[in-house]
Amino acid sequence: SYELTQPPSVSVSPGQTASITCSGDKLGDKYACWYQQKPGQSPVLVIYEDSKRPSGIPERFSGSNSGNTATLTISGTQAMDEADYYCQAWDSSTPGFGGGTKLTVL
Amino acid sequence: EVQLVESGGGLVKPGGSLRLSCAASGFTFSSYRMNWVRQAPGKGLEWVSSISSTSSYIYYADSVKGRFTISRDNAKNSLYLQMNSLRAEDTAVYYCARDLGGTSWFDHWGQGTLVTVSS
């Protein structure tokens, strides 16, 4: 299966910018998407097709993808953004997920 | 409103079987590829299986191939996962999720159902 690598944890101060990376072989040639998961809840799509936001997702969430790395950026991070974030991409008809990054807002 | 509701989870002994169901509503079920994704306690997301809108294309993760069977009934707006020869490492919350096929994204997820494999 397609392997995607994320840092286990990222910390950010309220109001600052958080960046979460996702690395995979030639990931830039594929579409990456991102999910947010809060404790006890199901995952929620926050970015699809590298940089598009679903309806209802705040503008502070953005994404990019180039080379071997996709990046989720949260500008003006709020306490409510504290959660686990997972990247995902398709390869050979099967999807792979990154291991997840715990974002701490402190 | 799109809704995906899983059921069928529970406690089962190693080597046992369980059948999960996912009831869909609020959208045209037959137009979407459907998936099962699981999450072991305290761990990350793991894709389990996918089935195309007409059941023509089915894929499994290596970890479940030969033991799990995915199926769907478009007339009943339902997705299923038959799990046989269960192992302790299959213990997880199982989510159903929809996508439009190709390299699209999982835009809606169910609330999940917990499967515990233990003696």
Side-chain angles (χ1 to χ4, degrees):
Chain A
S1 63
Y2 189 50
E3 290 200 9
L4 295 169
T5 302
Q6 299 179 233
S9 62
V10 168
S11 297
V12 63
S13 300
Q16 298 303 110
T17 297
S19 295
I20 300 173
T21 58
C22 173
S23 299
D25 185 46
K26 298 179 181 178
L27 180 56
D29 293 341
K30 312 175 193 301
Y31 278 130
C33 56
W34 293 88
Y35 303 92
Q36 176 194 69
Q37 187 180 35
K38 296 182 178 180
Q41 298 183 19
S42 302
V44 172
L45 179 72
V46 293
I47 293 289
Y48 67 98
E49 288 188 340
D50 296 338
S51 60
K52 297 178 180 178
R53 280 180 293 105
S55 173
I57 300 301
E59 289 184 11
R60 64 180 180 274
F61 287 86
S62 63
S64 62
N65 186 16
S66 179
N68 294 321
T69 303
T71 303
L72 173 69
T73 302
I74 309 173
S75 304
T77 307
Q78 300 183 10
M80 69 173 64
D81 301 328
E82 188 163 283
D84 293 327
Y85 290 86
Y86 296 90
C87 61
Q88 179 249 311
W90 289 83
D91 182 69
S92 300
S93 300
T94 60
F97 286 96
T101 298
K102 181 176 182 58
L103 177 67
T104 301
V105 183
L106 40 66
Chain B
E1 179 195 4
V2 173
Q3 284 202 319
L4 297 169
V5 180
E6 302 93 336
S7 61
L11 176 63
V12 61
K13 289 181 168 54
S17 298
L18 214 53
R19 189 193 195 209
L20 305 184
S21 298
C22 171
S25 61
F27 66 101
T28 305
F29 181 72
S30 59
S31 295
Y32 285 80
R33 179 169 57 191
M34 296 300 297
N35 308 268
W36 289 100
V37 178
R38 69 184 180 183
Q39 187 171 35
K43 302 297 184 183
L45 301 173
E46 180 190 15
W47 169 78
V48 173
S49 183
S50 296
I51 185 168
S52 64
S53 58
T54 60
S55 304
S56 297
Y57 299 96
I58 289 175
Y59 300 93
Y60 299 98
D62 288 344
S63 57
V64 306
K65 201 171 294 183
R67 301 187 299 122
F68 289 11
T69 302
I70 191 171
S71 62
R72 65 189 294 161
D73 185 336
N74 287 345
K76 294 183 177 180
N77 291 338
S78 293
L79 173 72
Y80 307 101
L81 186 67
Q82 177 66 44
M83 304 186 295
N84 299 330
S85 303
L86 283 161
R87 308 166 179 166
E89 53 265 36
D90 295 318
T91 294
V93 172
Y94 285 72
Y95 297 99
C96 64
R98 75 170 197 180
D99 76 274
L100 276 169
T103 57
S104 69
W105 45 95
F106 302 140
D107 66 343
H108 280 88
W109 299 62
Q111 86 289 349
T113 187
L114 176 62
V115 172
T116 303
V117 184
S118 174
S119 55

